């Protein structure tokens, strides 16, 4: 399974402009995140990419993009950590960015070891970004789930293999939520409404006009 930029943005909380900006290397620095599956049209992200993107969005709330790029360069070039970005726990506190290990961390900006981290935020859990509620990655709606082992991670109706967008498309075509079970017997009316609500949320990321400053962050 792969995620197009719109769905990757919706699941991570990044804007489409940010995704495009983060795919590009800056002068003297590497890219923030290069999609695993495809870097050319159609650009396609993996599930691991989405997890990493959520980390970047969380970091961006407390650190500049310049610091993030500097921290990632330290991680990759100086510490020689070359695994996928989703494999690392990173945190920011407003002054720096840290690679977190049990009970301590390495300051990736100021290159100091053994920094104590008292609290970590699970990037899979819901959070707010610029006033927008970014849902839980594995359960973006009560009856919509994301599991890499089910259809490769495409969001589906909970307990089924039915993609959320197929259900949402039926509702948009005028099929009442109570009649969705005629097409998908395992999908309740409540689950169908959740699928439609999530589809509306995903579609909210396709606006072509996003603030210019988002491109820098």
């Amino acid at each position: 399974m792969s995620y197009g930029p719109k769905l990757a943005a919706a699941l991570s909380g990044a804007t489409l402009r940010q995704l495009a900006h983060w795919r590009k290397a800056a002068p003297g620095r590497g890219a923030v995140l290069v999609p695993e599956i495809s870097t050319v049209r159609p650009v396609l992200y993996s599930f691991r990419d989405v997890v990493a993107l959520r980390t970047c969005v969380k970091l961006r709330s407390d650190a500049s993009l310049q610091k993030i790029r500097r921290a990632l360069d330290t991680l990759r070039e100086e510490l020689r950590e070359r695994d996928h970005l989703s494999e690392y726990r990173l945190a920011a506190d407003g002054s720096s960015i840290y690679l977190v290990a049990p009970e301590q961390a390495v300051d990736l900006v100021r290159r100091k070891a053994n920094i104590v981290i008292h609290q970590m935020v699970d990037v899979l859990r819901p959070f707010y970004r610029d006033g927008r509620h970014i849902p839980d990655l594995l359960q973006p709606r009560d009856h919509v789930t994301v599991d890499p082992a089910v259809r490769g991670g495409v969001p589906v109706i909970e307990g089924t293999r039915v993609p959320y967008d197929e259900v949402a498309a039926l509702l948009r075509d005028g099929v009442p939520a109570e009649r969705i079970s005629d097409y998908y017997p395992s999908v309740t009316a409540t689950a169908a409404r959740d699928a439609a609500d999530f589809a509306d949320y995903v579609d909210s990321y396709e606006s072509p006009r996003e603030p210019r400053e988002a491109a820098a962050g």
Side-chain angles (χ1 to χ4, degrees):
M1 170 61 191
S2 58
Y3 302 88
K6 185 173 72 171
L7 185 53
L11 289 174
S12 68
T15 66
L16 291 176
R17 286 184 180 273
Q18 283 176 320
L19 294 186
H21 196 61
W22 293 352
R23 290 194 297 268
K24 300 176 182 177
R29 300 194 183 282
V32 173
L33 183 79
V34 177
E36 278 195 296
I37 298 176
S38 175
T39 60
V40 297
R41 293 183 182 275
V43 174
L44 297 173
Y45 292 86
S46 68
F47 178 81
R48 296 200 306 173
D49 289 338
V50 172
V51 174
L53 287 169
R54 286 176 74 98
T55 296
C56 293
V57 171
K58 292 290 292 182
L59 293 177
R60 190 64 186 86
S61 297
D62 295 303
S64 67
L65 182 59
Q66 182 180 14
K67 281 187 178 179
I68 293 173
R69 288 187 185 275
R70 189 186 313 157
L72 294 180
D73 284 348
T74 300
L75 179 71
R76 294 161 176 163
E77 303 303 325
E78 296 188 19
L79 300 183
R80 303 295 181 183
E81 296 286 354
R82 301 297 176 83
D83 289 338
H84 192 274
L85 186 56
S86 63
E87 300 296 322
Y88 302 103
R89 298 187 70 189
L90 303 177
D93 64 0
S95 62
S96 193
I97 297 172
Y98 309 93
L99 171 63
V100 180
E103 299 183 358
Q104 63 181 25
V106 175
D107 187 325
L108 295 175
V109 175
R110 293 171 294 201
R111 299 173 177 82
K112 295 180 180 179
N114 300 325
I115 305 297
V116 176
I117 296 293
H118 297 287
Q119 183 176 4
M120 277 294 295
V121 177
D122 186 349
V123 297
L124 302 184
R125 303 298 299 165
F127 60 91
Y128 283 89
R129 168 68 169 158
D130 296 332
R132 184 195 286 266
H133 179 260
I134 311 304
D136 187 286
L137 176 57
L138 302 183
Q139 189 146 23
R141 292 294 184 271
D142 286 346
H143 297 87
V144 177
T145 60
V146 175
D147 183 344
V150 178
R151 285 188 173 269
V154 64
V156 297
I157 303 301
E158 184 177 34
T160 77
R161 296 179 58 84
V162 180
Y164 82 97
D165 52 349
E166 292 186 9
V167 174
L170 289 174
L171 267 68
R172 289 174 174 178
D173 285 343
V175 178
E178 292 74 18
R179 297 294 304 276
I180 292 296
S181 59
D182 293 349
Y183 300 83
Y184 298 107
S186 58
V187 178
T188 65
T190 301
R193 294 188 186 96
D194 272 1
D197 182 63
F198 181 63
D200 289 342
Y201 165 73
V202 172
D203 285 346
S204 73
Y205 276 81
E206 66 183 1
S207 172
R209 295 187 179 89
E210 295 177 287
R212 180 176 294 274
E213 55 268 23

